[in-house]
Amino acid sequence: MTSIVEIHVPLIPTPGLDPGAYAFPWIDQVEDFLVDMEDEGAIEVYDDGEQLGDVYVFFITAATEASLLTAASRVATLDGVPTGVFAVVTDDGAPDGTGRRIDLPVA
């Protein structure tokens, strides 16, 4: 089974944006960051990010759990990313919505 870390970011609009601006520019920032990490060979983006209720979820894999959690912690500390980010450690055989929750960033 393949280990997967889901990065759950509260879907909170970025404060102070101009009227009419995209409310969640941090989504693109996180996606770019994860693609850069993938290009470096540190992780692999498992699937496209998606909105699930009041969070936006990014999926990463292809590294040790510790490395995946380090990457997730780096996401949680990016400028502009809302507070309250957490990870769910799961695998590709687990039922949807199951796994171990870990608050980020991991110390």
Side-chain angles (χ1 to χ4, degrees), residues 10-14 17 21-28:
L11 202 54
I12 298 171
T14 300
L17 295 175
Y22 179 52
F24 309 106
W26 53 264
I27 292 174
D28 293 334

Side-chain angles (χ1 to χ4, degrees), residues 7-9 26-27 29-31 33-34 37 43 56 58 60 68-82 85-86 104-105:
I7 307 168
H8 293 243
V9 182
W26 53 264
I27 292 174
Q29 178 187 4
V30 170
E31 287 176 345
F33 175 79
L34 293 175
M37 290 196 72
I43 56 103
Y56 197 89
F58 303 91
I60 58 175
L68 293 171
L69 289 173
T70 297
S73 290
R74 290 180 63 193
V75 166
T77 61
L78 291 173
D79 288 339
V81 172
V85 179
F86 65 94
L104 297 174

Side-chain angles (χ1 to χ4, degrees), residues 14-105:
T14 300
L17 295 175
D18 292 332
Y22 179 52
F24 309 106
W26 53 264
I27 292 174
D28 293 334
Q29 178 187 4
V30 170
E31 287 176 345
D32 290 345
F33 175 79
L34 293 175
V35 166
D36 288 346
M37 290 196 72
E38 185 174 44
D39 289 345
E40 294 168 5
I43 56 103
E44 182 179 307
V45 175
Y46 182 77
D47 200 355
D48 292 336
E50 62 185 42
Q51 181 179 344
L52 292 174
D54 61 352
V55 296
Y56 197 89
V57 183
F58 303 91
F59 306 90
I60 58 175
T61 190
T64 65
E65 181 178 313
S67 294
L68 293 171
L69 289 173
T70 297
S73 290
R74 290 180 63 193
V75 166
T77 61
L78 291 173
D79 288 339
V81 172
T83 59
V85 179
F86 65 94
V88 174
V89 178
T90 188
D91 62 64
D92 60 353
D96 287 346
T98 62
R100 182 170 36 96
R101 179 186 165 133
I102 300 173
D103 291 328
L104 297 174

